[in-house]
Amino acid sequence: MNISPNRLIIATGASLLLVFLVYTALWFWMTKQIRVEIDRFISEAQKEEITVVTRILEIRGYPFTPKILFSGRLSKDDTVIEVPELLVQSLLLPNKPIKIYALQGLSILEPADTAIWSLDSLRIDGIIPKTLPPALFHEDLSVWKETGGNIQVDHIELKKQDLTLTGAGTLFLDDTLQPAGELSTRMTGYLDFLFWLQQNGYVETREALLATTVLTGLSRTDKNGETSVNADLTLQNRTLFVGPLRVVKLPMIVWNWRHQPGRPQ
């Protein structure tokens, strides 16, 4: 049976239109489910006494991978974190890629010194774990940790003053449910950053000289004349190390219990 060219064109166009309509419906259905999960996360955070102030919360990106745009502030007890603009690109499905960009930086406004507890920009590419804790309660995090929960970071790039750090590795929770992990990193601009830390009184002169000596010994210069250091960035026992250097001691995170131990549920 012969099919006329006009009928073939009409049939092809109708098929393409049907595919387009089905894809569009699926995309918007998916973004609706993502918004439901975001709202659930915010609700669970409030149960953890985390206040989320939202200035912008949108889902964009049609017809490509959804992009979640957030701008606002998070606070718990006396700690306030300012998020000028956070972009998350992902389907938010297990074992699927996720990209997190905070190109305008992040900062802790209170009670810490914002000058030091801030980033100028942050980029993270990773894989969403197969399982995640349903909420940020002690019990949920403990189960996630005991079942081998971890977060794979394929690429991270952060900038602070003259320092640029790139790397990859794994993050997890230690036995006390504090953040831990190890990243293989490459750093540039570290000497100028150390000078900035010293000039602003964040490290003593002796500590800065020791760090400069160690990092200079680990450094290498490429054919373009750029000096860098390859070192492991380790977080253990709430202490951040760059290679053998102890950088900073982080505050303890106290997770609320869903049900207080010893109390009837």
Side-chain angles (χ1 to χ4, degrees):
M1 181 177 65
N2 294 327
I3 300 176
S4 68
N6 288 341
R7 287 187 176 182
L8 183 59
I9 292 173
I10 292 172
T12 302
S15 299
L16 292 175
L17 178 61
L18 179 61
V19 170
F20 170 77
L21 292 175
V22 170
Y23 176 83
T24 299
L26 285 173
W27 193 93
F28 283 100
W29 176 85
M30 186 185 336
T31 56
K32 183 178 179 180
Q33 300 308 306
I34 290 174
R35 182 57 191 258
V36 168
E37 287 300 310
I38 293 173
D39 291 340
R40 184 186 69 82
F41 176 82
I42 293 175
S43 177
E44 291 293 337
Q46 291 172 343
K47 294 177 184 178
E48 272 282 300
E49 300 178 357
I50 300 173
T51 301
V52 181
V53 177
T54 302
R55 288 192 289 269
I56 299 174
L57 181 54
E58 300 175 355
I59 302 178
R60 306 172 175 176
Y62 176 82
F64 305 108
T65 303
K67 296 179 180 178
I68 304 161
L69 179 64
F70 172 79
S71 176
R73 181 175 291 187
L74 295 85
S75 61
K76 179 177 172 61
D77 300 328
D78 296 327
T79 302
V80 180
I81 301 176
E82 180 69 22
V83 185
E85 182 178 281
L86 182 69
L87 183 65
V88 179
Q89 184 174 8
S90 176
L91 296 175
L92 296 185
L93 295 174
N95 293 327
K96 296 297 182 183
I98 183 170
K99 298 178 183 292
I100 302 173
Y101 298 154
L103 301 184
Q104 295 182 29
L106 300 167
S107 58
I108 300 178
L109 302 182
E110 300 173 12
D113 183 345
T114 302
I116 187 67
W117 288 102
S118 63
L119 294 175
D120 296 334
S121 74
L122 175 67
R123 297 171 180 256
I124 300 175
D125 293 351
I127 301 295
I128 296 177
K130 183 181 295 184
T131 60
L132 284 170
L136 299 179
F137 286 110
H138 191 283
E139 299 95 320
D140 300 321
L141 293 169
S142 181
V143 170
W144 186 69
K145 182 259 177 190
E146 292 298 330
T147 55
N150 64 74
I151 298 175
Q152 175 186 335
V153 179
D154 293 332
H155 177 76
I156 184 172
E157 177 185 283
L158 63 84
K159 295 183 178 181
K160 171 74 175 178
Q161 296 290 327
D162 294 292
L163 176 69
T164 297
L165 180 147
T166 59
T170 304
L171 304 175
F172 51 92
L173 296 175
D174 64 16
D175 291 339
T176 60
L177 301 185
Q178 299 302 298
E182 184 171 334
L183 300 172
S184 298
T185 67
R186 177 179 183 270
M187 293 181 291
T188 59
Y190 49 89
L191 293 180
D192 289 333
F193 182 61
L194 278 172
F195 180 73
W196 177 83
L197 290 173
Q198 179 190 346
Q199 289 293 101
N200 288 277
Y202 295 116
V203 297
E204 299 293 336
T205 301
R206 186 177 67 84
E207 295 173 330
L209 289 174
L210 175 61
T212 298
T213 300
V214 173
L215 291 174
T216 300
L218 296 173
S219 67
R220 61 181 64 183
T221 302
D222 62 21
K223 61 182 181 181
N224 297 318
E226 183 178 56
T227 301
S228 64
V229 166
N230 294 332
D232 288 335
L233 187 71
T234 306
L235 178 59
Q236 61 182 20
N237 299 324
R238 296 179 17 241
T239 304
L240 183 65
F241 296 88
V242 176
L245 293 175
R246 179 183 182 274
V247 178
V248 66
K249 184 80 170 182
L250 301 179
M252 169 76 77
I253 300 176
V254 179
W255 305 106
N256 289 342
W257 290 82
R258 187 186 299 274
H259 303 289
Q260 287 293 340
R263 292 186 181 182
Q265 300 183 8

